[in-house]
Structures are given as C-alpha cells and as structure tokens.
Amino acid sequence: MRLALAEAVEAGRRGEVPVGAVVLGSGGEVLAAAGNDREAGADPTAHAEILALRAAARARGEWRLSGCTLVVTLEPCTMCAGAAVLARVDRVVYGAVDEKAGAAGSLWDVVRDRRLNHRPEVMLGVLADECASVLTDFFAGRRR
C-alpha cells in the first residue's frame, strides 16, 4: 500500500485525482504500479487500477492475472472492480472507502457478486486514514 500511496501522491502532483494502484504477483513481487492519468491522457478509462492491470498483464504476457493482488488507495469504482473480476485477480486490497462510487462493498459490491464467475477476496481499510488524507488534502487544495 505504501507504493500505491506514492503513486497517488505523484498523480496528485500532476494534477490528477490522487489514486494509486499496484499489482503484486503470487510471490509478492511488484508487477506494475500506476497513478491516475485521466487528465493528461484525456482518457476516461485511465484510472490507476486499469493502468496497473494493463501493465501487469503485459509483464506476464497474458490477460489472466490469477494469483495476483490488486492494491489500490481508494475503493475501486464499477469499471475498475469489473476489470479486477475480468482479469481474474485473486484479491483486491484497498485503503479508503468510496461511499459515492465504490464497487467493492460500499455503494455496490461488484467483486463479490455471486452471479459472476470469479469473485476476488477483498481486504479493505489498509492504511485507510493515510489514503483518505491524500484525497482530502488534494480536494481541499483545489477548493482554495
């Protein structure tokens, strides 16, 4: 989560909403890390999770990320939660809860929907205060 936080902080420095994500391989090795890049890339899908999942798939040479863990500073949205399910990650770990758009237990629970053929394990609240603080500070600065 510390690496994901570093990615989030860097994204914030670039003017992006400060969310960071890391994909870990089955042995705990870092396969990919990314921060949001929607503004710079003019890409609505350039969420940290999507970018990290894409890079991890390239690193492994396949789209199935079985055995992997997606670590993200903010609870994934529906798009990112769906991507985690489709990528077949074994677990999703996140820090701050997103009550407005979260899809890993808050507003929706895409990752544990029994109608889907894959349901990753979910661990939430890892360094939650630090993850939330990065976002709170970013938006407070934008309002000033």
Side-chain angles (χ1 to χ4, degrees):
M1 186 61 78
R2 295 262 179 232
L3 181 53
L5 272 165
E7 291 288 336
V9 168
E10 180 55 33
R13 284 190 189 123
R14 296 190 318 267
E16 303 284 347
V17 173
V19 176
V22 175
V23 177
L24 303 173
S26 58
E29 71 281 10
V30 174
L31 296 177
N36 273 353
D37 200 36
R38 294 185 310 167
E39 300 299 330
D43 180 354
T45 69
H47 289 201
E49 301 95 309
I50 299 296
L51 298 174
L53 289 168
R54 287 177 182 161
R58 281 192 303 274
R60 285 185 85 180
E62 64 175 318
W63 64 267
R64 287 178 191 84
L65 297 177
S66 302
C68 293
T69 299
L70 172 64
V71 180
V72 61
T73 57
L74 180 64
E75 179 180 359
C77 68
T78 53
M79 175 181 68
C80 295
V85 169
L86 293 173
R88 310 293 197 271
V89 298
D90 281 8
R91 74 198 50 75
V92 175
V93 176
Y94 67 89
V97 169
D98 186 351
E99 294 178 3
K100 293 181 181 179
S106 292
L107 187 58
W108 294 288
D109 201 353
V110 171
V111 293
R112 290 178 283 211
D113 190 320
R114 294 192 183 277
R115 296 169 292 182
L116 298 175
N117 66 341
H118 180 75
R119 289 179 295 283
E121 173 188 355
V122 177
M123 179 184 292
L124 62 134
V126 177
L127 299 179
D129 291 341
E130 290 180 54
C131 292
S133 178
V134 170
L135 288 158
T136 302
D137 293 350
F138 175 81
F139 286 112
R142 302 263 305 227
R143 285 189 288 274
R144 284 188 219 129

